[in-house]
Amino acid sequence: MQNVIVLFGKPGAGKGTRLSEFLKTTDKKFNILSVGNMLRQARADNTELGLKAARYMDSGELLPDHIINGIVVDGMKTSTETVISDGFPRSVGQAQAMLDAGIIPIVIDFHVEDDLVIQRARDRIVCENRACGETYTINDFKPPIVEGICDKCGSHLVRRSDDDPEVVKNRLEVYREQTIPVLELMERYGAKVYTIDNSDSKKSMIEFTKLMNG
Ligand code: AMP
């Protein structure tokens, strides 16, 4: 089984942004598992999973574990490359399914204050091309070179529907209630946890790169 690196932290903590920046600097091959991107793709394709996902995503709730666990844990078990998991596990049931499969991950826990999450969600724009999915923050470390256009693939940049301030507040509440206990559970099973303060993008990028290359 391959190593699994879990990117942990509040929704909107900047995990995906740090990851996409890091991937530009490395030749190493990783298997990136992003449940959020997978679900957004399923919605764009109007698949059964996408149709089920819509109401959860639009209100900031988590999809039930039985829908998510099989897809992600199987992907982790069968991967031939180191897995980077962005957005899983997010509930105790998900973490338990992963740990029961014998996967003890390395965890990178990104810290930011709620106010910054709310501000970043307000400033976030994403590539409308689901196959690309690049993320930008207009007032932060990572604006696009040409306003409204994706640097990577040239498609238009749009806002995410779940970046609405009310939905963001609910996602933070869900994180506190359902996701925070996951960290303790993974540690109890021997997962090594590294913490990064992600309020300063440049500093945290240096730390993240060091960890990923270490
Ligand atoms: P994200 O892009 O990671 O913030 O995820 C967007 C939305 O997808 C979340 O608000 C949830 O509705 C859903 N989602 C993402 N990851 C998970 C997960 N591990 N379990 C359940 N739902 C998820």
Side-chain angles (χ1 to χ4, degrees), residues 70-132:
I71 313 172
V72 183
V73 176
D74 283 350
M76 287 177 169
K77 280 200 296 201
T78 55
S79 182
T80 53
E81 286 151 351
T82 295
V83 173
I84 303 179
S85 175
D86 174 5
F88 180 97
R90 246 156 136 149
S91 69
V92 165
Q94 293 177 8
Q96 197 65 61
M98 179 186 73
L99 296 162
D100 287 347
I103 301 164
I104 311 295
I106 295 162
V107 181
I108 303 180
D109 181 18
F110 290 86
H111 280 200
V112 287
E113 296 299 325
D114 283 8
D115 286 353
L116 192 56
V117 168
I118 292 164
Q119 183 203 317
R120 280 188 182 156
R122 203 189 53 213
D123 291 350
R124 173 158 61 182
I125 37 176
V126 295
C127 180
E128 70 174 358
N129 168 12
R130 306 282 170 177
C132 171

Side-chain angles (χ1 to χ4, degrees), residues 137-154:
T137 40
I138 19 194
N139 296 322
D140 191 22
F141 181 44
K142 225 197 121 199
I145 296 165
V146 179
E147 199 184 320
I149 300 293
C150 179
D151 298 349
K152 231 167 131 183
C153 76

Side-chain angles (χ1 to χ4, degrees), residues 35-36 39-40 57 61-63 87 90 94 160 162 171:
V35 177
L39 296 175
R40 279 183 285 279
M57 296 175 82
E61 297 290 325
L62 298 180
L63 273 77
R90 246 156 136 149
Q94 293 177 8
R160 263 173 58 167
D162 58 353
R171 293 168 80 205

Side-chain angles (χ1 to χ4, degrees), residues 25-40:
T25 68
T26 182
D27 293 331
K28 281 192 205 161
K29 287 268 172 278
F30 294 98
N31 180 3
I32 312 295
L33 288 179
S34 164
V35 177
N37 285 351
M38 186 184 79
L39 296 175
R40 279 183 285 279

